[in-house]
Amino acid sequence: MAEKLDKEAAKQAKKAKRAAGKERRGQIFQAFKMQRKEDKALIPWMLGCFLVVTGVVFGIGWLLGIEWLLLPIGIMLGLLVAVIVFGRRVQKTVFTKADGQPGAAAWALDNLRGRWRVTQTVAATTQLDAVHRVLGGPGVVLVAEGAPHRVKNLLTQEKKRIARLVGDTPIYDFTVGNDEGQVPLRRLQNTLMKLPRNLRPREVDALEAKLAALGTRGAALPKGPMPQGAKMRNVQRTIRRR
């Protein structure tokens, strides 16, 4: 009886895995069709990268006298580079569409890779300006989005609130935008990833517990900058997992 149940469970797990794989392939194909409509250079870029990488590997094999042995490896590497190019161009399109929309910074932070603790809209105005709080290895990171003359005051107040609780823990702050001194939306994730690691994981846990009591101030922002970006976001996650 137990053996029969184990076989049934294994069968169901295998079926679920196939269904998940089919769904991922469907998402990627759908995103490819959407991206191709908006990005006329997508196919030339992907094809060019595939041919160049495959040709280079084949050429190295020719010099060594093992070109046909290295050809399958070249094809696999070429396909991998083409997929990476596709993912990067999808990401660029998504960030271009999101740029300047309320909630765009919150959406970008929510898609950070790694062990980050994101609290959206810890302070906000009725004009949809907002400050988001991120906890991680660097310490506390405050990210503001909205009109510069309004978010400057929001940032200052939030830093004062946090500083009273965190002591010597580093506090970084950024304003998302395209003006001087601001961080463009497309570079926000990389900017945070490049910050120095000042805290160990257990120190981040303790910091999160301290700041949990602060709560939020102001109106809430939308959970994302654009409903039409959801499919692209799912594809980005799928590509990162593959």
PDB file of all heavy atoms in Angstrom, residues 173-191:
ATOM      1  N   ASP A 173      20.668  56.745   1.259  1.00  0.00           N
ATOM      2  CA  ASP A 173      19.427  57.225   0.650  1.00  0.00           C
ATOM      3  C   ASP A 173      19.657  57.577  -0.812  1.00  0.00           C
ATOM      4  O   ASP A 173      20.716  58.089  -1.189  1.00  0.00           O
ATOM      5  CB  ASP A 173      18.870  58.432   1.418  1.00  0.00           C
ATOM      6  CG  ASP A 173      19.777  59.644   1.359  1.00  0.00           C
ATOM      7  OD1 ASP A 173      20.677  59.751   2.221  1.00  0.00           O
ATOM      8  OD2 ASP A 173      19.605  60.474   0.452  1.00  0.00           O
ATOM      9  N   PHE A 174      18.661  57.265  -1.621  1.00  0.00           N
ATOM     10  CA  PHE A 174      18.708  57.525  -3.061  1.00  0.00           C
ATOM     11  C   PHE A 174      17.360  58.056  -3.519  1.00  0.00           C
ATOM     12  O   PHE A 174      16.315  57.692  -2.967  1.00  0.00           O
ATOM     13  CB  PHE A 174      19.033  56.244  -3.844  1.00  0.00           C
ATOM     14  CG  PHE A 174      20.339  55.605  -3.476  1.00  0.00           C
ATOM     15  CD1 PHE A 174      20.367  54.535  -2.589  1.00  0.00           C
ATOM     16  CD2 PHE A 174      21.535  56.073  -3.987  1.00  0.00           C
ATOM     17  CE1 PHE A 174      21.563  53.928  -2.236  1.00  0.00           C
ATOM     18  CE2 PHE A 174      22.734  55.486  -3.638  1.00  0.00           C
ATOM     19  CZ  PHE A 174      22.747  54.408  -2.763  1.00  0.00           C
ATOM     20  N   THR A 175      17.409  58.910  -4.526  1.00  0.00           N
ATOM     21  CA  THR A 175      16.187  59.388  -5.169  1.00  0.00           C
ATOM     22  C   THR A 175      16.196  58.902  -6.605  1.00  0.00           C
ATOM     23  O   THR A 175      17.175  59.095  -7.335  1.00  0.00           O
ATOM     24  CB  THR A 175      16.103  60.919  -5.137  1.00  0.00           C
ATOM     25  OG1 THR A 175      16.113  61.365  -3.771  1.00  0.00           O
ATOM     26  CG2 THR A 175      14.837  61.407  -5.811  1.00  0.00           C
ATOM     27  N   VAL A 176      15.127  58.261  -7.008  1.00  0.00           N
ATOM     28  CA  VAL A 176      15.035  57.707  -8.360  1.00  0.00           C
ATOM     29  C   VAL A 176      14.608  58.797  -9.337  1.00  0.00           C
ATOM     30  O   VAL A 176      13.642  59.527  -9.089  1.00  0.00           O
ATOM     31  CB  VAL A 176      14.034  56.541  -8.397  1.00  0.00           C
ATOM     32  CG1 VAL A 176      13.832  56.050  -9.829  1.00  0.00           C
ATOM     33  CG2 VAL A 176      14.529  55.400  -7.517  1.00  0.00           C
ATOM     34  N   GLY A 177      15.335  58.921 -10.420  1.00  0.00           N
ATOM     35  CA  GLY A 177      15.014  59.925 -11.437  1.00  0.00           C
ATOM     36  C   GLY A 177      16.141  60.041 -12.430  1.00  0.00           C
ATOM     37  O   GLY A 177      17.166  59.344 -12.337  1.00  0.00           O
ATOM     38  N   ASN A 178      15.999  60.945 -13.364  1.00  0.00           N
ATOM     39  CA  ASN A 178      17.003  61.104 -14.427  1.00  0.00           C
ATOM     40  C   ASN A 178      17.742  62.433 -14.352  1.00  0.00           C
ATOM     41  O   ASN A 178      18.473  62.786 -15.282  1.00  0.00           O
ATOM     42  CB  ASN A 178      16.317  60.959 -15.798  1.00  0.00           C
ATOM     43  CG  ASN A 178      15.700  59.587 -15.987  1.00  0.00           C
ATOM     44  OD1 ASN A 178      16.364  58.573 -15.798  1.00  0.00           O
ATOM     45  ND2 ASN A 178      14.426  59.546 -16.356  1.00  0.00           N
ATOM     46  N   ASP A 179      17.548  63.182 -13.258  1.00  0.00           N
ATOM     47  CA  ASP A 179      18.255  64.443 -13.093  1.00  0.00           C
ATOM     48  C   ASP A 179      19.590  64.206 -12.398  1.00  0.00           C
ATOM     49  O   ASP A 179      19.883  63.102 -11.911  1.00  0.00           O
ATOM     50  CB  ASP A 179      17.411  65.423 -12.268  1.00  0.00           C
ATOM     51  CG  ASP A 179      16.127  65.811 -12.982  1.00  0.00           C
ATOM     52  OD1 ASP A 179      16.108  65.772 -14.232  1.00  0.00           O
ATOM     53  OD2 ASP A 179      15.132  66.133 -12.290  1.00  0.00           O
ATOM     54  N   GLU A 180      20.389  65.259 -12.326  1.00  0.00           N
ATOM     55  CA  GLU A 180      21.697  65.159 -11.688  1.00  0.00           C
ATOM     56  C   GLU A 180      21.544  64.792 -10.203  1.00  0.00           C
ATOM     57  O   GLU A 180      20.708  65.345  -9.493  1.00  0.00           O
ATOM     58  CB  GLU A 180      22.447  66.492 -11.811  1.00  0.00           C
ATOM     59  CG  GLU A 180      23.884  66.434 -11.314  1.00  0.00           C
ATOM     60  CD  GLU A 180      24.620  67.745 -11.510  1.00  0.00           C
ATOM     61  OE1 GLU A 180      24.052  68.647 -12.169  1.00  0.00           O
ATOM     62  OE2 GLU A 180      25.745  67.880 -11.017  1.00  0.00           O
ATOM     63  N   GLY A 181      22.358  63.844  -9.764  1.00  0.00           N
ATOM     64  CA  GLY A 181      22.309  63.410  -8.376  1.00  0.00           C
ATOM     65  C   GLY A 181      21.262  62.352  -8.088  1.00  0.00           C
ATOM     66  O   GLY A 181      21.151  61.880  -6.954  1.00  0.00           O
ATOM     67  N   GLN A 182      20.483  61.980  -9.096  1.00  0.00           N
ATOM     68  CA  GLN A 182      19.471  60.943  -8.927  1.00  0.00           C
ATOM     69  C   GLN A 182      19.930  59.639  -9.574  1.00  0.00           C
ATOM     70  O   GLN A 182      20.881  59.616 -10.363  1.00  0.00           O
ATOM     71  CB  GLN A 182      18.143  61.394  -9.543  1.00  0.00           C
ATOM     72  CG  GLN A 182      17.547  62.625  -8.890  1.00  0.00           C
ATOM     73  CD  GLN A 182      16.229  63.039  -9.523  1.00  0.00           C
ATOM     74  OE1 GLN A 182      15.969  62.784 -10.701  1.00  0.00           O
ATOM     75  NE2 GLN A 182      15.392  63.701  -8.744  1.00  0.00           N
ATOM     76  N   VAL A 183      19.273  58.555  -9.220  1.00  0.00           N
ATOM     77  CA  VAL A 183      19.610  57.234  -9.764  1.00  0.00           C
ATOM     78  C   VAL A 183      18.540  56.836 -10.776  1.00  0.00           C
ATOM     79  O   VAL A 183      17.358  56.742 -10.411  1.00  0.00           O
ATOM     80  CB  VAL A 183      19.682  56.177  -8.644  1.00  0.00           C
ATOM     81  CG1 VAL A 183      19.991  54.804  -9.228  1.00  0.00           C
ATOM     82  CG2 VAL A 183      20.727  56.558  -7.608  1.00  0.00           C
ATOM     83  N   PRO A 184      18.907  56.604 -12.039  1.00  0.00           N
ATOM     84  CA  PRO A 184      17.910  56.157 -13.018  1.00  0.00           C
ATOM     85  C   PRO A 184      17.286  54.835 -12.583  1.00  0.00           C
ATOM     86  O   PRO A 184      17.948  53.993 -11.965  1.00  0.00           O
ATOM     87  CB  PRO A 184      18.733  55.978 -14.306  1.00  0.00           C
ATOM     88  CG  PRO A 184      19.943  56.850 -14.107  1.00  0.00           C
ATOM     89  CD  PRO A 184      20.238  56.797 -12.638  1.00  0.00           C
ATOM     90  N   LEU A 185      16.027  54.649 -12.898  1.00  0.00           N
ATOM     91  CA  LEU A 185      15.317  53.443 -12.486  1.00  0.00           C
ATOM     92  C   LEU A 185      16.028  52.172 -12.945  1.00  0.00           C
ATOM     93  O   LEU A 185      16.134  51.211 -12.179  1.00  0.00           O
ATOM     94  CB  LEU A 185      13.892  53.470 -13.055  1.00  0.00           C
ATOM     95  CG  LEU A 185      13.003  52.275 -12.702  1.00  0.00           C
ATOM     96  CD1 LEU A 185      12.715  52.246 -11.210  1.00  0.00           C
ATOM     97  CD2 LEU A 185      11.709  52.318 -13.509  1.00  0.00           C
ATOM     98  N   ARG A 186      16.540  52.188 -14.165  1.00  0.00           N
ATOM     99  CA  ARG A 186      17.161  50.970 -14.699  1.00  0.00           C
ATOM    100  C   ARG A 186      18.447  50.605 -13.960  1.00  0.00           C
ATOM    101  O   ARG A 186      18.921  49.464 -14.041  1.00  0.00           O
ATOM    102  CB  ARG A 186      17.455  51.150 -16.196  1.00  0.00           C
ATOM    103  CG  ARG A 186      18.511  52.184 -16.506  1.00  0.00           C
ATOM    104  CD  ARG A 186      18.714  52.374 -18.000  1.00  0.00           C
ATOM    105  NE  ARG A 186      19.787  53.305 -18.304  1.00  0.00           N
ATOM    106  CZ  ARG A 186      19.667  54.618 -18.283  1.00  0.00           C
ATOM    107  NH1 ARG A 186      18.493  55.170 -17.990  1.00  0.00           N
ATOM    108  NH2 ARG A 186      20.689  55.408 -18.564  1.00  0.00           N
ATOM    109  N   ARG A 187      19.036  51.575 -13.224  1.00  0.00           N
ATOM    110  CA  ARG A 187      20.285  51.312 -12.498  1.00  0.00           C
ATOM    111  C   ARG A 187      20.073  51.134 -10.998  1.00  0.00           C
ATOM    112  O   ARG A 187      21.032  50.935 -10.253  1.00  0.00           O
ATOM    113  CB  ARG A 187      21.271  52.465 -12.725  1.00  0.00           C
ATOM    114  CG  ARG A 187      21.724  52.601 -14.176  1.00  0.00           C
ATOM    115  CD  ARG A 187      22.701  53.737 -14.327  1.00  0.00           C
ATOM    116  NE  ARG A 187      23.072  53.953 -15.724  1.00  0.00           N
ATOM    117  CZ  ARG A 187      23.762  54.998 -16.161  1.00  0.00           C
ATOM    118  NH1 ARG A 187      24.136  55.944 -15.295  1.00  0.00           N
ATOM    119  NH2 ARG A 187      24.076  55.121 -17.430  1.00  0.00           N
ATOM    120  N   LEU A 188      18.828  51.214 -10.559  1.00  0.00           N
ATOM    121  CA  LEU A 188      18.562  51.176  -9.121  1.00  0.00           C
ATOM    122  C   LEU A 188      19.007  49.864  -8.497  1.00  0.00           C
ATOM    123  O   LEU A 188      19.687  49.848  -7.455  1.00  0.00           O
ATOM    124  CB  LEU A 188      17.064  51.399  -8.874  1.00  0.00           C
ATOM    125  CG  LEU A 188      16.615  51.347  -7.411  1.00  0.00           C
ATOM    126  CD1 LEU A 188      17.323  52.412  -6.587  1.00  0.00           C
ATOM    127  CD2 LEU A 188      15.102  51.512  -7.308  1.00  0.00           C
ATOM    128  N   GLN A 189      18.653  48.752  -9.103  1.00  0.00           N
ATOM    129  CA  GLN A 189      19.015  47.451  -8.534  1.00  0.00           C
ATOM    130  C   GLN A 189      20.534  47.279  -8.460  1.00  0.00           C
ATOM    131  O   GLN A 189      21.069  46.843  -7.433  1.00  0.00           O
ATOM    132  CB  GLN A 189      18.382  46.330  -9.358  1.00  0.00           C
ATOM    133  CG  GLN A 189      16.862  46.315  -9.279  1.00  0.00           C
ATOM    134  CD  GLN A 189      16.248  45.229 -10.138  1.00  0.00           C
ATOM    135  OE1 GLN A 189      16.877  44.711 -11.066  1.00  0.00           O
ATOM    136  NE2 GLN A 189      15.007  44.880  -9.855  1.00  0.00           N
ATOM    137  N   ASN A 190      21.231  47.623  -9.531  1.00  0.00           N
ATOM    138  CA  ASN A 190      22.691  47.494  -9.535  1.00  0.00           C
ATOM    139  C   ASN A 190      23.335  48.418  -8.509  1.00  0.00           C
ATOM    140  O   ASN A 190      24.350  48.061  -7.890  1.00  0.00           O
ATOM    141  CB  ASN A 190      23.251  47.803 -10.929  1.00  0.00           C
ATOM    142  CG  ASN A 190      22.975  46.697 -11.927  1.00  0.00           C
ATOM    143  OD1 ASN A 190      22.735  45.553 -11.534  1.00  0.00           O
ATOM    144  ND2 ASN A 190      23.003  47.015 -13.198  1.00  0.00           N
ATOM    145  N   THR A 191      22.769  49.613  -8.324  1.00  0.00           N
ATOM    146  CA  THR A 191      23.320  50.557  -7.341  1.00  0.00           C
ATOM    147  C   THR A 191      23.269  49.961  -5.940  1.00  0.00           C
ATOM    148  O   THR A 191      24.239  50.045  -5.176  1.00  0.00           O
ATOM    149  CB  THR A 191      22.535  51.884  -7.384  1.00  0.00           C
ATOM    150  OG1 THR A 191      22.666  52.463  -8.693  1.00  0.00           O
ATOM    151  CG2 THR A 191      23.066  52.860  -6.344  1.00  0.00           C
TER     152      THR A 191
END
